Amino acid sequence: SLILLAKIYNILPFKMRRKLFEIHRFTRGKLGLGIRYALLKSMSHKCGKNVSIHPGTYIFNIQNLIIGNNVSIHPMCYIECGNIPGGVQIDQNVSIAHGTTIMATTHNYEDIDIPIKDQGVENRSVHIHENVWIGAKATITAGVSIESGCVIGANAVVTKSTEKNFVYVGVPAKKLKQR
C-alpha cells in the first residue's frame, strides 16, 4: 500500500526523501505516480488521498504544501511553496493542467540602489479552493486565492484573487463569464 510506503519513507531523513523525489521526477506509469505520491505524503505539510503528481513536476519547499483529496497535477508543472507552512494550499477536487506555474514568492524590487537580485523575496500564500480547473500553462502569482468553482484558462496569468464560479482568461486574467 502507498500509505505504508509513505510511512517507510518517513524513516528516511528529509534530504534523502527530497533527493528520491528528484530522482523519480520523470519515472513514468503507475510506479512513478505511486512513488511520487508516497514521497509527497511523507514530505508535505499535509496530503490527502488520490493525489497524482505526473512526470516532470517540480515542487520546491514541498514541506510547505497542503494538498487535499482528488488532486491531479499534470506534467511539467512548477510549484514554489515559499518559506511559510501552507505557502501553497490546494483543496480537494482540483485539476492542474500541464505546464502550470504556481508561485508563493515574489522578488522585492523597491530599492533602486540595490540590484533586484540582492533584495530577497517575499512570501505570499497561494490558496486554490475546491473544484477548480487550471488550464495548461497558466501562471498563478504570489498572494492569489482562486475561489471554488473557478476555471482558469490556458496561458492565463492570475495576478489577483478570483470570485467563485467564474471563468478567467488572459494576461492578466480577467473574468470572462460565470459558470
Side-chain angles (χ1 to χ4, degrees):
S1 143
L2 294 176
I3 303 301
L4 178 61
L5 183 58
K7 288 180 181 180
I8 293 168
Y9 281 144
N10 252 337
I11 296 168
L12 301 173
F14 186 85
K15 285 183 178 182
M16 188 177 288
R17 288 180 276 159
R18 186 172 57 214
K19 186 66 176 170
L20 283 169
F21 194 83
E22 290 171 12
I23 289 168
H24 290 287
R25 179 171 287 137
F26 292 98
T27 302
R28 297 196 175 279
K30 289 182 181 178
L31 176 65
L33 289 171
I35 290 170
R36 283 187 296 276
Y37 174 72
L39 286 164
L40 177 72
K41 191 133 182 92
S42 79
M43 292 189 297
S44 64
H45 191 71
K46 185 177 178 187
C47 179
K49 298 175 184 171
N50 191 33
V51 174
S52 58
I53 307 295
H54 289 265
T57 295
Y58 289 77
I59 304 174
F60 296 95
N61 294 306
I62 198 168
Q63 70 276 10
N64 295 322
L65 176 64
I66 296 173
I67 193 165
N69 299 328
N70 306 313
V71 173
S72 59
I73 301 174
H74 289 268
M76 304 311 294
C77 289
Y78 183 100
I79 301 171
E80 169 54 72
C81 300
N83 290 317
I84 49 176
V88 171
Q89 180 173 335
I90 302 169
D91 292 347
Q92 64 189 7
N93 301 312
V94 171
S95 182
I96 300 173
H98 69 278
T100 294
T101 298
I102 301 170
M103 297 293 297
T105 62
T106 186
H107 274 278
N108 295 321
Y109 57 86
E110 291 78 17
D111 190 334
I112 61 171
D113 297 322
I114 300 174
I116 295 169
K117 68 177 188 64
D118 295 332
Q119 292 188 45
V121 296
E122 181 181 340
N123 292 282
R124 290 195 232 149
S125 296
V126 171
H127 189 172
I128 300 169
H129 292 262
E130 66 182 47
N131 189 31
V132 167
W133 174 27
I134 299 175
K137 299 180 183 175
T139 298
I140 313 301
T141 61
V144 165
S145 179
I146 308 291
E147 294 299 326
S148 62
C150 280
V151 174
I152 306 300
N155 290 304
V157 177
V158 183
T159 60
K160 295 181 180 170
S161 295
T162 67
E163 296 178 42
K164 286 183 180 182
N165 298 314
F166 277 92
V167 176
Y168 287 81
V169 299
V171 179
K174 304 267 190 235
K175 270 193 287 189
L176 176 65
K177 63 182 180 178
Q178 192 162 14
R179 285 186 53 230

